[in-house]
Amino acid sequence: MPSILFLADSLELGGAERQLTLLIKYLSTPWITSVVAFGGGMFEAKLAELGKDLTILERQTRFDIKPVWDFWRLLRTLHPDIVHSWGWMSSAIAAPMCKTLGIKFINGCIRSGSAITRNAIRARVTFLLSDWIIANSYAGLKACEIISPKSKVIYNALDPQRLDLINDKEYVSKKNLPITVVMAARMTAQKNFSMFIDGAREINKIDPGNWKFIAIGDGEDKNDLISKAADLVSSGVMEFPEVIDEVIPQLQQADIGVLLTNNNMHKEGLSNSIMEYMFCGLPVICHDNGGNNELVVSGETGFLLKSNNIHNLVEYLHWLAHHPAEARQMGESGKKRITELCSIRRMVSEYIEVYQDVLHNKNVT
């Protein structure tokens, strides 16, 4: 039976790690799968629950090369038919090794809509050494200037078991209730939670007492963001709930889903947060960058922001609050769109097609 070794930079909470775990969960026989990661994290336990062969080669320091040497020895021993990488670091490590050992290499490191900004030469070398290049958005391929018959876009998916948590809630008028707005993302410089906070403060001035903002996530900027929003937290306008493994129940309580990005630092690939909002039937407000417009159709499933102008964000929030029927229709349209576009069956079948093509040397240069 053909064997695939999946290689990740780490197994921390993140979009690539979630999609890797999801693919392994639903990849059917006859594929023999194993996972190697250069760091642990929450998805380590999930893979263990699936009974998968998992090896963690933890780096003790940033420049620790022992895990690289250990991976080389492991790769020579296992000699899988395919190595499929899911990060920039793992791709840079695996690409030359696979070429040396004659192992087919699938490069899945394009997970955002941004061009390569660091280690550009090394990253482009990995593309040259790849038998296939997979991105999760067309924006990602375009940003990295990948034009090749051995490249493909495979959209993310959501676990059907998670979708079972989503209930079709009957529409309730929000006339006398606060409108709940949620933003779920890593709290790092790449995500513009500061704009989310400023927008909350501005619209609460215009329409006080009618709004609730929920900031879901964790990261190095969380404490600073809580301090920035101290006045909103103390007045009950904004909450920073504890991070939990499953956010779907929290998203179900919201009316609008927001994802704001620092455009100068990052562009989205195919955002898991936006997918979750849409599956939950929420109209979406997000920046028009990266692959966001591959998910959100402005005016039909939500709104795309062209800039960091707070007034535009407030305008869209205000419009959705005062047009509840249209907002509900946007949410329903988004749910229908994402269900068709990002099904697990489609994602797995497209990956299997690539694996089969690689094994049979189709479209490989």
Side-chain angles (χ1 to χ4, degrees):
M1 292 188 289
S3 58
I4 305 174
L5 188 153
F6 294 98
L7 184 64
D9 290 3
S10 76
L11 294 175
E12 295 177 353
L13 178 61
E17 295 78 12
R18 184 181 294 278
Q19 292 301 312
L20 164 61
T21 305
L22 182 62
L23 173 60
I24 292 172
K25 180 178 180 179
Y26 288 98
L27 188 63
S28 59
T29 54
W31 306 95
I32 299 173
T33 59
S34 58
V35 183
V36 175
F38 292 105
M42 68 169 294
F43 285 103
E44 184 177 350
K46 292 184 177 296
L47 288 168
E49 289 175 6
L50 295 174
K52 297 302 178 181
D53 181 10
L54 173 62
T55 302
I56 305 296
L57 302 175
E58 193 84 47
R59 293 185 298 166
Q60 300 303 312
T61 65
R62 181 180 177 184
F63 298 104
D64 183 9
I65 65 171
K66 184 178 183 297
V68 178
W69 174 245
D70 289 341
F71 177 67
W72 167 251
R73 291 190 298 178
L74 180 65
L75 194 61
R76 290 181 63 187
T77 300
L78 295 178
H79 208 282
D81 295 296
I82 297 171
V83 169
H84 182 177
S85 69
W86 289 72
W88 293 110
M89 181 183 71
S90 54
S91 296
I93 292 170
M97 292 184 184
C98 288
K99 182 62 68 174
T100 300
L101 296 174
I103 298 172
K104 301 295 185 182
F105 176 61
I106 297 176
N107 191 332
C109 67
I110 303 178
R111 310 298 301 180
S112 77
S114 304
I116 304 162
T117 55
R118 293 186 300 174
N119 302 319
I121 296 177
R122 187 191 312 172
R124 294 194 181 280
V125 168
T126 70
F127 294 145
L128 294 175
L129 297 176
S130 302
D131 294 292
W132 266 91
I133 302 166
I134 297 178
N136 68 347
S137 70
Y138 289 97
L141 282 184
K142 182 178 179 181
C144 292
E145 300 177 346
I146 304 297
I147 304 174
S148 169
K150 62 178 182 178
S151 63
K152 184 177 180 66
V153 171
I154 299 180
Y155 283 150
N156 295 345
L158 250 65
D159 191 332
Q161 292 183 349
R162 296 185 69 205
L163 301 184
D164 290 341
L165 300 172
I166 301 174
N167 301 313
D168 292 327
K169 53 185 179 182
E170 184 178 351
Y171 177 70
V172 178
S173 173
K174 286 286 186 177
K175 183 176 181 181
N176 297 314
L177 296 173
I179 303 297
T180 302
V181 186
V182 65
M183 178 166 163
R186 285 183 177 180
M187 293 185 176
T188 61
Q190 287 77 19
K191 307 297 182 181
N192 202 340
F193 271 99
S194 290
M195 183 176 176
F196 185 66
I197 294 169
D198 291 339
R201 186 175 288 115
E202 184 66 23
I203 201 167
N204 190 57
K205 290 178 183 177
I206 299 170
D207 196 15
N210 291 326
W211 294 89
K212 171 75 75 174
F213 287 78
I214 311 295
I216 300 175
D218 206 352
E220 58 195 37
D221 291 350
K222 186 168 186 176
N223 290 336
D224 290 340
L225 291 169
I226 292 174
S227 296
K228 177 180 173 68
D231 59 317
L232 298 174
V233 173
S234 63
S235 62
V237 175
M238 180 166 283
E239 295 179 2
F240 288 80
E242 291 296 321
V243 177
I244 58 177
D245 182 34
E246 181 53 76
V247 300
I248 292 294
Q250 292 174 309
L251 301 185
Q252 278 263 274
Q253 303 305 311
D255 302 290
I256 303 169
V258 172
L259 184 67
L260 306 173
T261 309
N262 282 320
N263 294 319
N264 294 332
M265 301 182 66
H266 178 69
K267 289 182 171 56
E268 303 293 338
L270 205 78
S271 167
N272 284 279
S273 292
I274 292 178
M275 289 170 55
E276 290 165 346
Y277 299 159
M278 295 173 74
F279 271 116
C280 289
L282 305 183
V284 178
I285 300 174
C286 62
H287 276 111
D288 187 8
N289 78 0
N292 286 352
N293 61 16
E294 296 176 41
L295 292 175
V296 178
V297 180
S298 193
E300 294 184 19
T301 65
F303 296 106
L304 295 168
L305 292 166
K306 301 295 183 180
S307 70
N308 291 329
N309 191 316
I310 296 294
H311 297 297
N312 290 339
L313 172 61
V314 170
E315 179 184 358
Y316 288 141
L317 290 171
H318 190 269
W319 189 92
L320 289 170
H322 288 80
H323 295 81
E326 291 88 344
R328 183 188 183 195
Q329 181 58 52
M330 282 185 173
E332 291 176 351
S333 297
K335 185 173 183 178
K336 180 180 179 181
R337 174 175 172 77
I338 206 69
T339 300
E340 296 171 352
L341 194 65
C342 297
S343 72
I344 185 63
R345 179 178 298 178
R346 176 177 176 175
M347 185 186 83
V348 172
S349 65
E350 290 183 353
Y351 273 115
I352 289 176
E353 181 181 348
V354 170
Y355 297 151
Q356 291 174 336
D357 285 351
V358 168
L359 289 177
H360 294 90
N361 293 310
K362 294 180 180 179
N363 296 325
V364 177
T365 56

